[in-house]
Amino acid sequence: MIDLSVNINGFTLKNPIMPASGTFDKELAAIIDFNALGAIVTKTFTLDKRAGNPTPRACELPNAMLNAIGIPSKGIDYYISHTVPYYQQYSSPLIASISANTATDFGLIAKQLDTVKGIACIEANISCPNIEADGKAFAMQANSTSKVVKALRAATHLPLWVKLTPNTSDIVSVAQAAEAEGADAIIVGNTLLGMAIDITTRRPKLGNIMGGLSGPAIKPIMIRMVYQCYKHLSIPVIGCGGITTFEDVIEYFLAGSTAVQVGTANFIQPSTMTNMIHDLEDYCQKHNIHRLSELTGAVIDKKLPTITALPY
Ligand SMILES: Cc1cc2nc3c(=O)[nH]c(=O)nc-3n(C[C@H](O)[C@H](O)[C@H](O)COP(=O)(O)O)c2cc1C
């Protein structure tokens, strides 16, 4: 028997595969068995209703996509009255992804969710603009990360995952700030800020002008950040960015991930996540790995002694 289960700071998932927020919805139930997933992560919602960004909201790029959906949201009341009850039919734990413009509002959402039956964990998407700090994303800086995670931690007893942005010059300091304020895990991470222009119309390809880059093209950047965070943190790192195959999952584990989230690949092949779970089992079987979690951080990153002289 292969053990695919993972322990995220005391919260056990039967396997490490879950959707990345915003890339998964109820319609996928017609194609994959939600009960097979390690967890279900829903689209980020906010306290109040929001319309989202102007169209076009997404465009395809080589090995990537650019999106600026802008978190359209039906608000917390709808989430509690409709989304949570819907997902209760599935055995996989429900992870509620939340966002807000201020640390205070993040705390208000977390406090309301704290007692809602059926929510297993809060994922704080802190890659959104902080209106108290020039609109820069909370997770761009350690001090705004500290402030928001502190407010969240004080508001909830639920496991708290904090989703970081790669759009920062010092991911480790930001991750350490989240850890110091009581995050149970970090997710590394959200999309990379990008832009694309249509050379015929000379207009940006997105209505919002800039957007988030995702998909296979960003994987090496995110692997590097997972590795850096794993080396400097004690809490688990959940890897996310460009994961398309089980080989990508193994690579993320070796870099230091305890679990992973799959995003853009769900749009390309909706059965990606459930295929991966089977493929991971086969891989472990073939390579005599009894527990997938053994691979977390198992990259051999020391220079090996030279055995024979290189031919150059
Ligand atoms: C269309 C789209 C919508 C997204 N919406 C959200 C969201 O609501 N909340 C969030 O935290 N991340 C959101 N993301 C980011 C993904 O969750 C993920 O972090 C990112 O796409 C990198 O993973 P990938 O390369 O596997 O797609 C979205 C990504 C895409 C492509």
Side-chain angles (χ1 to χ4, degrees), residues 19-24 41-45 57-58 63-72 97-99 123-127 163-164 166 187-192 212-219 222 239-244 252 261-267:
S21 177
T23 65
F24 170 92
V41 185
T42 43
K43 169 81 186 165
T44 301
F45 68 89
R57 288 176 164 182
N63 257 326
M65 73 178 274
L66 197 62
N67 92 84
I69 308 283
I71 314 189
S97 171
I98 64 168
S99 190
E123 177 176 306
N125 171 11
I126 64 164
S127 311
K163 185 167 176 181
L164 304 185
I187 299 157
V188 178
N190 218 306
T191 52
L192 277 146
L213 191 72
S214 63
I218 72 167
K219 195 186 78 177
M222 308 313 288
C240 177
I243 298 175
T244 307
Y252 265 94
Q261 297 189 341
V262 179
T264 303
N266 293 319
F267 298 128

